[in-house]
Amino acid sequence: MNADRLPPVAPEVTATLVEGLSPRLRKRLDAAVTKLAARPVHRDGDTTTIEVDDETELRLHAPGGVVAQVEDVTCGCLLAPACVHRAAAACAAPTADLAPEPAEQPTPEAAGPASADADAATGAGAVAMHPASVTDQATAMVPASATHRSSGTDSPPVPGPVPGLTPDAAPAPPETATPDQRAAADALWAAGAAVLEAGVDGAGAVAQSALLRAAHTARLRHLPRAAGAALSVVTLLRAARTGDPSYRTAELVTALAELLGTARRVATATGTELAAVRGRVRRPYSPDGSLRLYGLFTEPVVTDSGHGGVRTWVAGADGRLFTVGDVAPGGVGRALGVADRAVRLGDSAITHRELGRAGLAVSGATVSPDGRLGAGKSVKAVTARGAAWTEPPLAALWETPPAEQADRALRSTSRYADPDGTGSDLLFLDVELLGAVREPGGTCLLALGEGGVPVRLTAADDDPALAHRDNLALLAAAPGTRLRIIGRLIPAAHPRLTLLACSHPTGEGTIDLGLDRLRRADLPDPAAPAHFAPPQPAGPGAQSPLYLLERRVEQTVPAGRAALGMLGDVTAETRRIRRGGLPTAAGLLTALCASAAQRERDHFGRLLPADTDGFAAYWLAAARYSAAVSESLCSAAWNPTGEVQGVAGGPPAAAARPAV
């Protein structure tokens, strides 16, 4: 049985079914999920039937596409409704996305028109950590007792009346989280810490159910950002436990750190910071008047969840970047077909592929914080003349120094970026192709950028139905060719991009590298074979021993706290980290491993329960610190001088500077 064949189940339904099981049945739940996954599934309208055995059927009723009530899961066995089958089916099915907040929730901002770009996946980011102050922030995450959770007693004191001022004139105290929100954050922290304690192997259906219950409660308490992070953790845990080939440990590390970090900050955040920590269920769209837009390129979008479509990038007369998208379930086939469909924006009949080289005049425009153009009824759009990449206003995009572009992109791609943050992860470069370079992860195209910085260009998608891979191989056969390119930043210790679009090798027009296919006749020397460039010297980030901390952070996720507790002495690793100029990283590694190995005993010599909160606090600090330093090293790689700059454009991060 493929989990995708089952209808999504609301988080509260799964949690309720698991909580209703007896302790004996809970121990059998993971085995029941595995056994149920091998049974045949049939779908008839809104009802999905699973054959538990030759005589018993289990039904999931999903009106509207989602199993929203416990009564919608029924089983025909003799033990029903107290059987393990209902809970196992809910645990095997995908988790439904968060529902909109209850109607009584006050909305501080008016909701704009719905976007034409259907979200391929719902995710929540976190507030960016500036590496310039990464030492202080990482240390602040670990309290002196190392056992603290965000609790209702830790909220900042509400200031009283100011002497000499009337009540009407007294400044209003900053908004703080409610006691219910702090309690919901505590539950999220506890559930996340339990997952970290047990690791992927130990975080079965019961642990996932605790996360789902905490996520449901957080949504009801108007904490959609933390709730979304909890659902992401559950989805990744299930992918890891089922051997999904798309699963990556680094993604689960990021999701867990986002969950724990957001839950921790609910009690202390105030004002605008609290609004960012709470998050939003739906992106707000705000009016932006009339816009004159110039097409840049169109890229295919294919997600692991089975969604497909395209996203067309356009620029305004002032250089701002916007996107017009069309993404829905359908995979790569839909992505190729949608490129030639009309853009859903006003009355325009222009296709996405055409818009990437033409222009639009839009009135009544609405824009989300991340640059998505809304498609409400009040939006009007007509086709207009476009501009070449070498003409204003588009030419100005390539005039910004690459190091500044990389810093801007890092603010957008940061693993813990503010979900309402603005900015783009695109870079606009003029390069000279050098040839292909063999790397452990495959072959990429090496190019020389401004200031002599070598840039590695990779395919945005390896799906053979798309043109990315074949076009990259052809460009490798044209060393010495100068191109104007658009790529998406890949955070790494050396300059690296996924190549999305480029000027045509003949100098006429542009190429959407995911949709348009180059031919050998388009190259300056059509008969030339692929050229392999000589090895390039490693950048400053390659010298950093930060990986010693990163691998311990990642090692915790699949195996749990016990994996670090058995390491023993890590003095050699910490000594090497200190020699590399990262004393904070060395201190975090020492504290993390010591916390993992610490187990107290009572007067009779029996082991006491482990301090899961303290270990989670140290792990969170190490995860956030290593992510911030990695981003600083990436910024340094794009700087020809090799100087480490703060991701937020601040002063150099001394703690993140590797030894020379």
Side-chain angles (χ1 to χ4, degrees), residues 129 134 138 253 415-416 546 549-550 553 585 588 619-633:
M129 176 183 293
V134 67
V253 169
R415 279 175 271 182
Y416 307 107
L546 182 66
L549 177 62
E550 290 177 323
V553 169
L588 286 171
W619 182 89
L620 174 61
R624 296 294 295 266
Y625 174 88
S626 59
V629 175
S630 294
E631 291 164 8
S632 289
L633 294 175

Side-chain angles (χ1 to χ4, degrees), residues 59-435:
R59 292 183 175 86
L60 292 86
H61 184 54
V66 175
V67 179
Q69 298 181 11
V70 174
E71 294 76 14
D72 291 336
V73 184
T74 59
C75 183
C77 73
L78 296 177
L79 296 178
C83 63
V84 73
H85 304 130
R86 299 170 70 218
C91 292
T95 301
D97 291 337
L98 288 173
E101 290 185 318
E104 66 270 18
Q105 163 69 354
T107 54
E109 300 182 17
S115 169
D117 183 2
D119 291 341
T122 300
V127 173
M129 176 183 293
H130 296 172
S133 59
V134 67
T135 302
D136 295 337
Q137 295 198 28
T139 305
M141 290 182 183
V142 185
S145 63
T147 59
H148 170 72
R149 287 208 314 261
S150 59
S151 64
T153 60
D154 296 328
S155 58
V158 178
V162 179
L165 293 179
T166 63
D168 293 338
E175 183 185 9
T176 60
T178 66
D180 285 345
Q181 289 177 331
R182 295 179 191 133
D186 281 345
L188 286 168
W189 172 276
V195 169
L196 196 62
E197 173 77 14
V200 170
D201 293 340
V206 175
Q208 295 168 26
S209 170
L211 271 172
L212 294 175
R213 172 60 69 192
H216 175 62
T217 302
R219 183 188 69 81
L220 295 179
R221 302 293 183 263
H222 315 309
L223 297 174
R225 177 175 170 179
L231 295 188
S232 296
V233 171
V234 172
T235 300
L236 290 167
L237 281 173
R238 291 178 176 178
R241 292 175 61 86
T242 57
D244 189 332
S246 66
Y247 166 75
R248 299 292 182 272
T249 300
E251 295 180 2
L252 184 51
V253 169
T254 300
L256 266 173
E258 158 69 0
L259 169 62
L260 294 172
T262 305
R264 188 181 190 84
R265 294 176 56 215
V266 166
T268 57
T270 60
T272 57
E273 182 186 1
L274 178 60
V277 172
R278 284 172 174 166
R280 293 187 179 94
V281 173
R282 192 180 299 276
R283 287 185 181 88
Y285 282 75
S286 57
D288 207 340
S290 298
L291 297 174
R292 179 65 167 89
L293 305 175
Y294 299 85
L296 281 166
F297 72 99
T298 300
E299 63 170 323
V301 177
V302 182
T303 70
D304 293 333
S305 60
H307 290 71
V310 294
R311 182 186 299 117
T312 299
W313 289 81
V314 296
D318 57 358
R320 287 188 298 162
L321 298 180
F322 304 92
T323 59
V324 183
D326 186 346
V327 181
V332 67
R334 187 179 189 278
L336 294 173
V338 168
D340 294 313
R341 293 184 189 176
V343 174
R344 293 187 292 179
L345 194 66
D347 298 326
S348 174
I350 192 173
T351 68
H352 282 274
R353 196 190 296 264
E354 293 169 343
L355 177 58
R357 296 171 175 85
L360 279 178
V362 183
S363 63
T366 57
V367 184
S368 72
D370 60 357
R372 300 188 186 199
L373 291 170
K377 295 181 179 179
S378 62
V379 178
K380 308 297 181 184
V382 295
T383 306
R385 177 187 175 275
W389 288 1
T390 55
E391 299 174 354
L394 300 185
L397 297 172
W398 280 265
E399 295 173 0
T400 304
E404 293 184 20
Q405 294 190 50
D407 284 343
R408 178 204 65 209
L410 277 171
R411 289 194 294 268
S412 174
T413 61
S414 173
R415 279 175 271 182
Y416 307 107
D418 187 339
D420 285 339
T422 59
S424 164
D425 56 357
L426 299 184
L427 269 67
F428 304 85
L429 305 176
D430 289 307
V431 300
E432 178 183 346
L433 303 183
L434 300 180

